[in-house]
Amino acid sequence: IIQLDNGAFHFSQHLQIPENIILLFQPPHTPQVNPIERLWEEIKRHLAWESFGTLDELRQFIWRRLEKLNTSIVASITGWDFILDALFESNFS
């Protein structure tokens, strides 16, 4: 499952979607239900009160935060029952 916003480019006639991919479109104007937004919120939480002299320092800091995440942590931050419900309803196996 790939969750998408309703950007026009996600509806392109030229977009080829493999059979094993399910597109789950979120309601318009609801970034709060996009799992990546919750993940970035977690990363940004650790940026408070930090100051970086260069863009590379910021990149390294973010990379170190990302490296601390494992599957279990990401699932706890981004997992929602509605995604599992969508899988169930789609008869995806």
Side-chain angles (χ1 to χ4, degrees), residues 12-48:
S12 170
Q13 293 178 4
H14 304 291
L15 187 61
Q16 295 180 350
I17 304 164
E19 289 184 24
N20 65 337
I21 300 293
I22 296 172
L23 300 182
L24 178 63
F25 289 93
Q26 67 190 45
H29 312 292
T30 56
Q32 68 274 16
V33 300
N34 188 338
I36 194 63
E37 297 295 339
R38 290 184 57 168
L39 184 63
W40 281 118
E41 185 177 307
E42 172 66 17
I43 298 299
K44 289 189 290 185
R45 185 170 65 88
H46 297 280
L47 288 172

PDB file of all heavy atoms in Angstrom, residues 12-48:
ATOM      1  N   SER A  12      -2.017  10.596 -13.157  1.00  0.00           N
ATOM      2  CA  SER A  12      -1.536  10.642 -14.532  1.00  0.00           C
ATOM      3  C   SER A  12      -1.953   9.400 -15.310  1.00  0.00           C
ATOM      4  O   SER A  12      -1.913   8.283 -14.800  1.00  0.00           O
ATOM      5  CB  SER A  12      -0.009  10.758 -14.544  1.00  0.00           C
ATOM      6  OG  SER A  12       0.485  10.572 -15.849  1.00  0.00           O
ATOM      7  N   GLN A  13      -2.340   9.593 -16.546  1.00  0.00           N
ATOM      8  CA  GLN A  13      -2.694   8.469 -17.408  1.00  0.00           C
ATOM      9  C   GLN A  13      -1.463   7.653 -17.771  1.00  0.00           C
ATOM     10  O   GLN A  13      -1.579   6.514 -18.213  1.00  0.00           O
ATOM     11  CB  GLN A  13      -3.388   8.974 -18.670  1.00  0.00           C
ATOM     12  CG  GLN A  13      -4.739   9.592 -18.397  1.00  0.00           C
ATOM     13  CD  GLN A  13      -5.388  10.116 -19.660  1.00  0.00           C
ATOM     14  OE1 GLN A  13      -4.870   9.969 -20.756  1.00  0.00           O
ATOM     15  NE2 GLN A  13      -6.542  10.745 -19.508  1.00  0.00           N
ATOM     16  N   HIS A  14      -0.288   8.226 -17.589  1.00  0.00           N
ATOM     17  CA  HIS A  14       0.953   7.542 -17.951  1.00  0.00           C
ATOM     18  C   HIS A  14       1.572   6.791 -16.778  1.00  0.00           C
ATOM     19  O   HIS A  14       2.576   6.121 -16.927  1.00  0.00           O
ATOM     20  CB  HIS A  14       1.959   8.542 -18.520  1.00  0.00           C
ATOM     21  CG  HIS A  14       1.438   9.302 -19.693  1.00  0.00           C
ATOM     22  ND1 HIS A  14       1.205   8.711 -20.915  1.00  0.00           N
ATOM     23  CD2 HIS A  14       1.060  10.593 -19.828  1.00  0.00           C
ATOM     24  CE1 HIS A  14       0.725   9.613 -21.761  1.00  0.00           C
ATOM     25  NE2 HIS A  14       0.627  10.769 -21.115  1.00  0.00           N
ATOM     26  N   LEU A  15       0.964   6.927 -15.606  1.00  0.00           N
ATOM     27  CA  LEU A  15       1.467   6.265 -14.411  1.00  0.00           C
ATOM     28  C   LEU A  15       1.171   4.772 -14.506  1.00  0.00           C
ATOM     29  O   LEU A  15       0.030   4.365 -14.700  1.00  0.00           O
ATOM     30  CB  LEU A  15       0.799   6.859 -13.171  1.00  0.00           C
ATOM     31  CG  LEU A  15       1.305   6.411 -11.812  1.00  0.00           C
ATOM     32  CD1 LEU A  15       2.775   6.780 -11.625  1.00  0.00           C
ATOM     33  CD2 LEU A  15       0.469   7.036 -10.714  1.00  0.00           C
ATOM     34  N   GLN A  16       2.217   3.955 -14.424  1.00  0.00           N
ATOM     35  CA  GLN A  16       2.046   2.507 -14.483  1.00  0.00           C
ATOM     36  C   GLN A  16       2.214   1.951 -13.079  1.00  0.00           C
ATOM     37  O   GLN A  16       3.277   2.076 -12.485  1.00  0.00           O
ATOM     38  CB  GLN A  16       3.062   1.889 -15.442  1.00  0.00           C
ATOM     39  CG  GLN A  16       2.853   2.329 -16.871  1.00  0.00           C
ATOM     40  CD  GLN A  16       3.865   1.703 -17.805  1.00  0.00           C
ATOM     41  OE1 GLN A  16       4.827   1.081 -17.385  1.00  0.00           O
ATOM     42  NE2 GLN A  16       3.648   1.876 -19.094  1.00  0.00           N
ATOM     43  N   ILE A  17       1.161   1.326 -12.577  1.00  0.00           N
ATOM     44  CA  ILE A  17       1.154   0.813 -11.212  1.00  0.00           C
ATOM     45  C   ILE A  17       1.187  -0.713 -11.261  1.00  0.00           C
ATOM     46  O   ILE A  17       0.287  -1.331 -11.835  1.00  0.00           O
ATOM     47  CB  ILE A  17      -0.098   1.300 -10.460  1.00  0.00           C
ATOM     48  CG1 ILE A  17      -0.145   2.834 -10.505  1.00  0.00           C
ATOM     49  CG2 ILE A  17      -0.112   0.775  -9.038  1.00  0.00           C
ATOM     50  CD1 ILE A  17      -1.479   3.407 -10.155  1.00  0.00           C
ATOM     51  N   PRO A  18       2.211  -1.329 -10.686  1.00  0.00           N
ATOM     52  CA  PRO A  18       2.282  -2.799 -10.667  1.00  0.00           C
ATOM     53  C   PRO A  18       1.064  -3.385  -9.951  1.00  0.00           C
ATOM     54  O   PRO A  18       0.455  -2.742  -9.092  1.00  0.00           O
ATOM     55  CB  PRO A  18       3.564  -3.089  -9.882  1.00  0.00           C
ATOM     56  CG  PRO A  18       4.355  -1.830  -9.956  1.00  0.00           C
ATOM     57  CD  PRO A  18       3.359  -0.710 -10.048  1.00  0.00           C
ATOM     58  N   GLU A  19       0.726  -4.618 -10.298  1.00  0.00           N
ATOM     59  CA  GLU A  19      -0.453  -5.266  -9.729  1.00  0.00           C
ATOM     60  C   GLU A  19      -0.368  -5.461  -8.223  1.00  0.00           C
ATOM     61  O   GLU A  19      -1.380  -5.538  -7.544  1.00  0.00           O
ATOM     62  CB  GLU A  19      -0.687  -6.616 -10.409  1.00  0.00           C
ATOM     63  CG  GLU A  19      -1.178  -6.483 -11.841  1.00  0.00           C
ATOM     64  CD  GLU A  19      -1.482  -7.833 -12.452  1.00  0.00           C
ATOM     65  OE1 GLU A  19      -1.756  -8.794 -11.712  1.00  0.00           O
ATOM     66  OE2 GLU A  19      -1.442  -7.915 -13.688  1.00  0.00           O
ATOM     67  N   ASN A  20       0.847  -5.554  -7.676  1.00  0.00           N
ATOM     68  CA  ASN A  20       1.001  -5.791  -6.239  1.00  0.00           C
ATOM     69  C   ASN A  20       1.047  -4.500  -5.421  1.00  0.00           C
ATOM     70  O   ASN A  20       1.338  -4.526  -4.241  1.00  0.00           O
ATOM     71  CB  ASN A  20       2.247  -6.630  -5.956  1.00  0.00           C
ATOM     72  CG  ASN A  20       3.522  -5.908  -6.340  1.00  0.00           C
ATOM     73  OD1 ASN A  20       3.527  -5.001  -7.166  1.00  0.00           O
ATOM     74  ND2 ASN A  20       4.620  -6.325  -5.757  1.00  0.00           N
ATOM     75  N   ILE A  21       0.725  -3.374  -6.043  1.00  0.00           N
ATOM     76  CA  ILE A  21       0.712  -2.079  -5.375  1.00  0.00           C
ATOM     77  C   ILE A  21      -0.725  -1.581  -5.275  1.00  0.00           C
ATOM     78  O   ILE A  21      -1.476  -1.603  -6.247  1.00  0.00           O
ATOM     79  CB  ILE A  21       1.560  -1.029  -6.146  1.00  0.00           C
ATOM     80  CG1 ILE A  21       3.007  -1.470  -6.253  1.00  0.00           C
ATOM     81  CG2 ILE A  21       1.431   0.355  -5.520  1.00  0.00           C
ATOM     82  CD1 ILE A  21       3.746  -1.513  -4.943  1.00  0.00           C
ATOM     83  N   ILE A  22      -1.101  -1.129  -4.088  1.00  0.00           N
ATOM     84  CA  ILE A  22      -2.418  -0.547  -3.870  1.00  0.00           C
ATOM     85  C   ILE A  22      -2.210   0.918  -3.517  1.00  0.00           C
ATOM     86  O   ILE A  22      -1.444   1.237  -2.608  1.00  0.00           O
ATOM     87  CB  ILE A  22      -3.152  -1.253  -2.715  1.00  0.00           C
ATOM     88  CG1 ILE A  22      -3.421  -2.709  -3.064  1.00  0.00           C
ATOM     89  CG2 ILE A  22      -4.454  -0.524  -2.384  1.00  0.00           C
ATOM     90  CD1 ILE A  22      -3.957  -3.511  -1.902  1.00  0.00           C
ATOM     91  N   LEU A  23      -2.885   1.801  -4.252  1.00  0.00           N
ATOM     92  CA  LEU A  23      -2.819   3.228  -3.958  1.00  0.00           C
ATOM     93  C   LEU A  23      -3.976   3.577  -3.035  1.00  0.00           C
ATOM     94  O   LEU A  23      -5.135   3.313  -3.335  1.00  0.00           O
ATOM     95  CB  LEU A  23      -2.899   4.055  -5.235  1.00  0.00           C
ATOM     96  CG  LEU A  23      -1.792   3.807  -6.256  1.00  0.00           C
ATOM     97  CD1 LEU A  23      -1.966   4.731  -7.463  1.00  0.00           C
ATOM     98  CD2 LEU A  23      -0.419   3.974  -5.642  1.00  0.00           C
ATOM     99  N   LEU A  24      -3.655   4.155  -1.893  1.00  0.00           N
ATOM    100  CA  LEU A  24      -4.644   4.568  -0.909  1.00  0.00           C
ATOM    101  C   LEU A  24      -4.608   6.090  -0.854  1.00  0.00           C
ATOM    102  O   LEU A  24      -3.639   6.674  -0.370  1.00  0.00           O
ATOM    103  CB  LEU A  24      -4.318   3.968   0.462  1.00  0.00           C
ATOM    104  CG  LEU A  24      -5.213   4.340   1.623  1.00  0.00           C
ATOM    105  CD1 LEU A  24      -6.638   3.846   1.384  1.00  0.00           C
ATOM    106  CD2 LEU A  24      -4.666   3.734   2.911  1.00  0.00           C
ATOM    107  N   PHE A  25      -5.640   6.730  -1.394  1.00  0.00           N
ATOM    108  CA  PHE A  25      -5.675   8.190  -1.459  1.00  0.00           C
ATOM    109  C   PHE A  25      -6.271   8.758  -0.178  1.00  0.00           C
ATOM    110  O   PHE A  25      -7.331   8.343   0.264  1.00  0.00           O
ATOM    111  CB  PHE A  25      -6.478   8.661  -2.675  1.00  0.00           C
ATOM    112  CG  PHE A  25      -5.765   8.403  -3.956  1.00  0.00           C
ATOM    113  CD1 PHE A  25      -5.994   7.239  -4.672  1.00  0.00           C
ATOM    114  CD2 PHE A  25      -4.834   9.310  -4.434  1.00  0.00           C
ATOM    115  CE1 PHE A  25      -5.317   6.988  -5.847  1.00  0.00           C
ATOM    116  CE2 PHE A  25      -4.152   9.069  -5.613  1.00  0.00           C
ATOM    117  CZ  PHE A  25      -4.387   7.907  -6.328  1.00  0.00           C
ATOM    118  N   GLN A  26      -5.554   9.694   0.415  1.00  0.00           N
ATOM    119  CA  GLN A  26      -6.051  10.342   1.622  1.00  0.00           C
ATOM    120  C   GLN A  26      -7.028  11.436   1.231  1.00  0.00           C
ATOM    121  O   GLN A  26      -6.983  11.937   0.109  1.00  0.00           O
ATOM    122  CB  GLN A  26      -4.905  10.901   2.446  1.00  0.00           C
ATOM    123  CG  GLN A  26      -4.179  12.057   1.779  1.00  0.00           C
ATOM    124  CD  GLN A  26      -2.907  12.426   2.500  1.00  0.00           C
ATOM    125  OE1 GLN A  26      -2.133  11.567   2.875  1.00  0.00           O
ATOM    126  NE2 GLN A  26      -2.694  13.710   2.687  1.00  0.00           N
ATOM    127  N   PRO A  27      -7.919  11.801   2.128  1.00  0.00           N
ATOM    128  CA  PRO A  27      -8.860  12.887   1.839  1.00  0.00           C
ATOM    129  C   PRO A  27      -8.117  14.192   1.550  1.00  0.00           C
ATOM    130  O   PRO A  27      -7.012  14.405   2.056  1.00  0.00           O
ATOM    131  CB  PRO A  27      -9.670  13.012   3.138  1.00  0.00           C
ATOM    132  CG  PRO A  27      -9.491  11.704   3.832  1.00  0.00           C
ATOM    133  CD  PRO A  27      -8.125  11.220   3.450  1.00  0.00           C
ATOM    134  N   PRO A  28      -8.696  15.072   0.733  1.00  0.00           N
ATOM    135  CA  PRO A  28      -8.054  16.348   0.424  1.00  0.00           C
ATOM    136  C   PRO A  28      -7.780  17.175   1.678  1.00  0.00           C
ATOM    137  O   PRO A  28      -8.557  17.152   2.635  1.00  0.00           O
ATOM    138  CB  PRO A  28      -9.071  17.060  -0.467  1.00  0.00           C
ATOM    139  CG  PRO A  28      -9.974  15.994  -0.977  1.00  0.00           C
ATOM    140  CD  PRO A  28      -9.989  14.915   0.063  1.00  0.00           C
ATOM    141  N   HIS A  29      -6.676  17.879   1.664  1.00  0.00           N
ATOM    142  CA  HIS A  29      -6.311  18.837   2.716  1.00  0.00           C
ATOM    143  C   HIS A  29      -6.210  18.190   4.100  1.00  0.00           C
ATOM    144  O   HIS A  29      -6.626  18.775   5.098  1.00  0.00           O
ATOM    145  CB  HIS A  29      -7.287  20.013   2.747  1.00  0.00           C
ATOM    146  CG  HIS A  29      -7.545  20.606   1.397  1.00  0.00           C
ATOM    147  ND1 HIS A  29      -6.573  21.286   0.689  1.00  0.00           N
ATOM    148  CD2 HIS A  29      -8.642  20.586   0.601  1.00  0.00           C
ATOM    149  CE1 HIS A  29      -7.064  21.677  -0.470  1.00  0.00           C
ATOM    150  NE2 HIS A  29      -8.308  21.256  -0.549  1.00  0.00           N
ATOM    151  N   THR A  30      -5.647  16.982   4.169  1.00  0.00           N
ATOM    152  CA  THR A  30      -5.513  16.285   5.455  1.00  0.00           C
ATOM    153  C   THR A  30      -4.108  15.710   5.615  1.00  0.00           C
ATOM    154  O   THR A  30      -3.932  14.503   5.728  1.00  0.00           O
ATOM    155  CB  THR A  30      -6.545  15.149   5.583  1.00  0.00           C
ATOM    156  OG1 THR A  30      -6.378  14.266   4.467  1.00  0.00           O
ATOM    157  CG2 THR A  30      -7.955  15.670   5.634  1.00  0.00           C
ATOM    158  N   PRO A  31      -3.090  16.573   5.646  1.00  0.00           N
ATOM    159  CA  PRO A  31      -1.735  16.042   5.799  1.00  0.00           C
ATOM    160  C   PRO A  31      -1.546  15.287   7.108  1.00  0.00           C
ATOM    161  O   PRO A  31      -0.670  14.441   7.225  1.00  0.00           O
ATOM    162  CB  PRO A  31      -0.856  17.291   5.748  1.00  0.00           C
ATOM    163  CG  PRO A  31      -1.755  18.415   6.114  1.00  0.00           C
ATOM    164  CD  PRO A  31      -3.131  18.024   5.630  1.00  0.00           C
ATOM    165  N   GLN A  32      -2.408  15.560   8.104  1.00  0.00           N
ATOM    166  CA  GLN A  32      -2.264  14.901   9.394  1.00  0.00           C
ATOM    167  C   GLN A  32      -2.527  13.395   9.324  1.00  0.00           C
ATOM    168  O   GLN A  32      -2.150  12.673  10.233  1.00  0.00           O
ATOM    169  CB  GLN A  32      -3.167  15.554  10.454  1.00  0.00           C
ATOM    170  CG  GLN A  32      -4.644  15.361  10.232  1.00  0.00           C
ATOM    171  CD  GLN A  32      -5.272  16.389   9.311  1.00  0.00           C
ATOM    172  OE1 GLN A  32      -4.600  17.101   8.588  1.00  0.00           O
ATOM    173  NE2 GLN A  32      -6.597  16.449   9.339  1.00  0.00           N
ATOM    174  N   VAL A  33      -3.149  12.912   8.249  1.00  0.00           N
ATOM    175  CA  VAL A  33      -3.361  11.462   8.125  1.00  0.00           C
ATOM    176  C   VAL A  33      -2.312  10.803   7.229  1.00  0.00           C
ATOM    177  O   VAL A  33      -2.395   9.620   6.943  1.00  0.00           O
ATOM    178  CB  VAL A  33      -4.784  11.113   7.615  1.00  0.00           C
ATOM    179  CG1 VAL A  33      -5.834  11.629   8.557  1.00  0.00           C
ATOM    180  CG2 VAL A  33      -5.010  11.602   6.201  1.00  0.00           C
ATOM    181  N   ASN A  34      -1.322  11.567   6.812  1.00  0.00           N
ATOM    182  CA  ASN A  34      -0.248  11.023   5.987  1.00  0.00           C
ATOM    183  C   ASN A  34       0.860  10.519   6.919  1.00  0.00           C
ATOM    184  O   ASN A  34       1.443  11.298   7.677  1.00  0.00           O
ATOM    185  CB  ASN A  34       0.288  12.108   5.055  1.00  0.00           C
ATOM    186  CG  ASN A  34       1.256  11.558   4.041  1.00  0.00           C
ATOM    187  OD1 ASN A  34       1.854  10.504   4.238  1.00  0.00           O
ATOM    188  ND2 ASN A  34       1.415  12.274   2.943  1.00  0.00           N
ATOM    189  N   PRO A  35       1.155   9.217   6.889  1.00  0.00           N
ATOM    190  CA  PRO A  35       2.155   8.667   7.808  1.00  0.00           C
ATOM    191  C   PRO A  35       3.518   9.360   7.753  1.00  0.00           C
ATOM    192  O   PRO A  35       4.168   9.508   8.779  1.00  0.00           O
ATOM    193  CB  PRO A  35       2.273   7.205   7.369  1.00  0.00           C
ATOM    194  CG  PRO A  35       0.972   6.893   6.725  1.00  0.00           C
ATOM    195  CD  PRO A  35       0.556   8.177   6.054  1.00  0.00           C
ATOM    196  N   ILE A  36       3.949   9.818   6.583  1.00  0.00           N
ATOM    197  CA  ILE A  36       5.261  10.456   6.498  1.00  0.00           C
ATOM    198  C   ILE A  36       5.279  11.760   7.277  1.00  0.00           C
ATOM    199  O   ILE A  36       6.300  12.146   7.853  1.00  0.00           O
ATOM    200  CB  ILE A  36       5.712  10.673   5.035  1.00  0.00           C
ATOM    201  CG1 ILE A  36       7.205  11.013   4.974  1.00  0.00           C
ATOM    202  CG2 ILE A  36       4.903  11.744   4.354  1.00  0.00           C
ATOM    203  CD1 ILE A  36       8.134   9.942   5.459  1.00  0.00           C
ATOM    204  N   GLU A  37       4.140  12.440   7.365  1.00  0.00           N
ATOM    205  CA  GLU A  37       4.076  13.673   8.147  1.00  0.00           C
ATOM    206  C   GLU A  37       4.310  13.381   9.629  1.00  0.00           C
ATOM    207  O   GLU A  37       4.967  14.139  10.324  1.00  0.00           O
ATOM    208  CB  GLU A  37       2.731  14.376   7.948  1.00  0.00           C
ATOM    209  CG  GLU A  37       2.456  14.828   6.531  1.00  0.00           C
ATOM    210  CD  GLU A  37       3.408  15.912   6.046  1.00  0.00           C
ATOM    211  OE1 GLU A  37       4.021  16.609   6.884  1.00  0.00           O
ATOM    212  OE2 GLU A  37       3.541  16.061   4.818  1.00  0.00           O
ATOM    213  N   ARG A  38       3.774  12.281  10.116  1.00  0.00           N
ATOM    214  CA  ARG A  38       3.985  11.902  11.513  1.00  0.00           C
ATOM    215  C   ARG A  38       5.443  11.519  11.759  1.00  0.00           C
ATOM    216  O   ARG A  38       6.008  11.815  12.808  1.00  0.00           O
ATOM    217  CB  ARG A  38       3.060  10.754  11.896  1.00  0.00           C
ATOM    218  CG  ARG A  38       1.621  11.212  11.955  1.00  0.00           C
ATOM    219  CD  ARG A  38       0.697  10.152  12.409  1.00  0.00           C
ATOM    220  NE  ARG A  38       1.088   9.635  13.709  1.00  0.00           N
ATOM    221  CZ  ARG A  38       0.334   8.863  14.454  1.00  0.00           C
ATOM    222  NH1 ARG A  38      -0.863   8.531  14.057  1.00  0.00           N
ATOM    223  NH2 ARG A  38       0.760   8.403  15.612  1.00  0.00           N
ATOM    224  N   LEU A  39       6.048  10.860  10.783  1.00  0.00           N
ATOM    225  CA  LEU A  39       7.454  10.485  10.924  1.00  0.00           C
ATOM    226  C   LEU A  39       8.335  11.733  10.966  1.00  0.00           C
ATOM    227  O   LEU A  39       9.215  11.852  11.819  1.00  0.00           O
ATOM    228  CB  LEU A  39       7.880   9.565   9.780  1.00  0.00           C
ATOM    229  CG  LEU A  39       9.294   9.029   9.874  1.00  0.00           C
ATOM    230  CD1 LEU A  39       9.479   8.151  11.103  1.00  0.00           C
ATOM    231  CD2 LEU A  39       9.642   8.246   8.613  1.00  0.00           C
ATOM    232  N   TRP A  40       8.080  12.693  10.075  1.00  0.00           N
ATOM    233  CA  TRP A  40       8.863  13.929  10.077  1.00  0.00           C
ATOM    234  C   TRP A  40       8.624  14.730  11.352  1.00  0.00           C
ATOM    235  O   TRP A  40       9.518  15.390  11.857  1.00  0.00           O
ATOM    236  CB  TRP A  40       8.578  14.772   8.834  1.00  0.00           C
ATOM    237  CG  TRP A  40       9.321  14.249   7.651  1.00  0.00           C
ATOM    238  CD1 TRP A  40       8.796  13.771   6.499  1.00  0.00           C
ATOM    239  CD2 TRP A  40      10.745  14.108   7.520  1.00  0.00           C
ATOM    240  NE1 TRP A  40       9.804  13.343   5.662  1.00  0.00           N
ATOM    241  CE2 TRP A  40      11.006  13.540   6.259  1.00  0.00           C
ATOM    242  CE3 TRP A  40      11.826  14.403   8.351  1.00  0.00           C
ATOM    243  CZ2 TRP A  40      12.298  13.277   5.810  1.00  0.00           C
ATOM    244  CZ3 TRP A  40      13.115  14.130   7.902  1.00  0.00           C
ATOM    245  CH2 TRP A  40      13.332  13.572   6.648  1.00  0.00           C
ATOM    246  N   GLU A  41       7.405  14.661  11.877  1.00  0.00           N
ATOM    247  CA  GLU A  41       7.126  15.338  13.148  1.00  0.00           C
ATOM    248  C   GLU A  41       8.025  14.780  14.254  1.00  0.00           C
ATOM    249  O   GLU A  41       8.561  15.528  15.080  1.00  0.00           O
ATOM    250  CB  GLU A  41       5.653  15.137  13.502  1.00  0.00           C
ATOM    251  CG  GLU A  41       5.204  15.888  14.720  1.00  0.00           C
ATOM    252  CD  GLU A  41       3.718  15.685  14.968  1.00  0.00           C
ATOM    253  OE1 GLU A  41       2.931  15.910  14.032  1.00  0.00           O
ATOM    254  OE2 GLU A  41       3.371  15.298  16.090  1.00  0.00           O
ATOM    255  N   GLU A  42       8.205  13.472  14.250  1.00  0.00           N
ATOM    256  CA  GLU A  42       9.082  12.832  15.229  1.00  0.00           C
ATOM    257  C   GLU A  42      10.530  13.289  15.042  1.00  0.00           C
ATOM    258  O   GLU A  42      11.227  13.600  16.009  1.00  0.00           O
ATOM    259  CB  GLU A  42       8.983  11.307  15.103  1.00  0.00           C
ATOM    260  CG  GLU A  42       9.973  10.543  15.925  1.00  0.00           C
ATOM    261  CD  GLU A  42       9.782  10.690  17.430  1.00  0.00           C
ATOM    262  OE1 GLU A  42       8.712  11.124  17.892  1.00  0.00           O
ATOM    263  OE2 GLU A  42      10.728  10.358  18.162  1.00  0.00           O
ATOM    264  N   ILE A  43      11.005  13.347  13.811  1.00  0.00           N
ATOM    265  CA  ILE A  43      12.378  13.793  13.531  1.00  0.00           C
ATOM    266  C   ILE A  43      12.546  15.252  13.953  1.00  0.00           C
ATOM    267  O   ILE A  43      13.518  15.607  14.622  1.00  0.00           O
ATOM    268  CB  ILE A  43      12.715  13.635  12.026  1.00  0.00           C
ATOM    269  CG1 ILE A  43      12.637  12.164  11.593  1.00  0.00           C
ATOM    270  CG2 ILE A  43      14.082  14.235  11.710  1.00  0.00           C
ATOM    271  CD1 ILE A  43      13.585  11.237  12.293  1.00  0.00           C
ATOM    272  N   LYS A  44      11.582  16.094  13.582  1.00  0.00           N
ATOM    273  CA  LYS A  44      11.690  17.522  13.882  1.00  0.00           C
ATOM    274  C   LYS A  44      11.620  17.798  15.382  1.00  0.00           C
ATOM    275  O   LYS A  44      12.162  18.799  15.851  1.00  0.00           O
ATOM    276  CB  LYS A  44      10.608  18.300  13.138  1.00  0.00           C
ATOM    277  CG  LYS A  44      10.855  18.356  11.633  1.00  0.00           C
ATOM    278  CD  LYS A  44       9.914  19.285  10.925  1.00  0.00           C
ATOM    279  CE  LYS A  44       8.519  18.764  10.902  1.00  0.00           C
ATOM    280  NZ  LYS A  44       7.592  19.596  10.116  1.00  0.00           N
ATOM    281  N   ARG A  45      10.977  16.911  16.122  1.00  0.00           N
ATOM    282  CA  ARG A  45      10.893  17.086  17.579  1.00  0.00           C
ATOM    283  C   ARG A  45      12.291  17.170  18.195  1.00  0.00           C
ATOM    284  O   ARG A  45      12.524  17.884  19.161  1.00  0.00           O
ATOM    285  CB  ARG A  45      10.114  15.904  18.165  1.00  0.00           C
ATOM    286  CG  ARG A  45       9.844  15.984  19.631  1.00  0.00           C
ATOM    287  CD  ARG A  45       8.861  14.891  20.051  1.00  0.00           C
ATOM    288  NE  ARG A  45       9.388  13.551  19.892  1.00  0.00           N
ATOM    289  CZ  ARG A  45      10.094  12.909  20.826  1.00  0.00           C
ATOM    290  NH1 ARG A  45      10.361  13.490  21.967  1.00  0.00           N
ATOM    291  NH2 ARG A  45      10.528  11.688  20.613  1.00  0.00           N
ATOM    292  N   HIS A  46      13.244  16.492  17.598  1.00  0.00           N
ATOM    293  CA  HIS A  46      14.619  16.472  18.104  1.00  0.00           C
ATOM    294  C   HIS A  46      15.452  17.651  17.585  1.00  0.00           C
ATOM    295  O   HIS A  46      16.599  17.815  17.979  1.00  0.00           O
ATOM    296  CB  HIS A  46      15.297  15.151  17.744  1.00  0.00           C
ATOM    297  CG  HIS A  46      14.636  13.978  18.383  1.00  0.00           C
ATOM    298  ND1 HIS A  46      14.866  13.619  19.694  1.00  0.00           N
ATOM    299  CD2 HIS A  46      13.722  13.105  17.910  1.00  0.00           C
ATOM    300  CE1 HIS A  46      14.137  12.569  19.988  1.00  0.00           C
ATOM    301  NE2 HIS A  46      13.429  12.236  18.932  1.00  0.00           N
ATOM    302  N   LEU A  47      14.861  18.443  16.711  1.00  0.00           N
ATOM    303  CA  LEU A  47      15.567  19.610  16.176  1.00  0.00           C
ATOM    304  C   LEU A  47      15.393  20.855  17.047  1.00  0.00           C
ATOM    305  O   LEU A  47      16.109  21.833  16.877  1.00  0.00           O
ATOM    306  CB  LEU A  47      15.083  19.928  14.756  1.00  0.00           C
ATOM    307  CG  LEU A  47      15.521  18.957  13.663  1.00  0.00           C
ATOM    308  CD1 LEU A  47      14.806  19.289  12.365  1.00  0.00           C
ATOM    309  CD2 LEU A  47      17.024  18.996  13.476  1.00  0.00           C
ATOM    310  N   ALA A  48      14.456  20.802  17.971  1.00  0.00           N
ATOM    311  CA  ALA A  48      14.202  21.972  18.821  1.00  0.00           C
ATOM    312  C   ALA A  48      15.474  22.366  19.560  1.00  0.00           C
ATOM    313  O   ALA A  48      16.191  21.527  20.089  1.00  0.00           O
ATOM    314  CB  ALA A  48      13.079  21.658  19.808  1.00  0.00           C
TER     315      ALA A  48
END
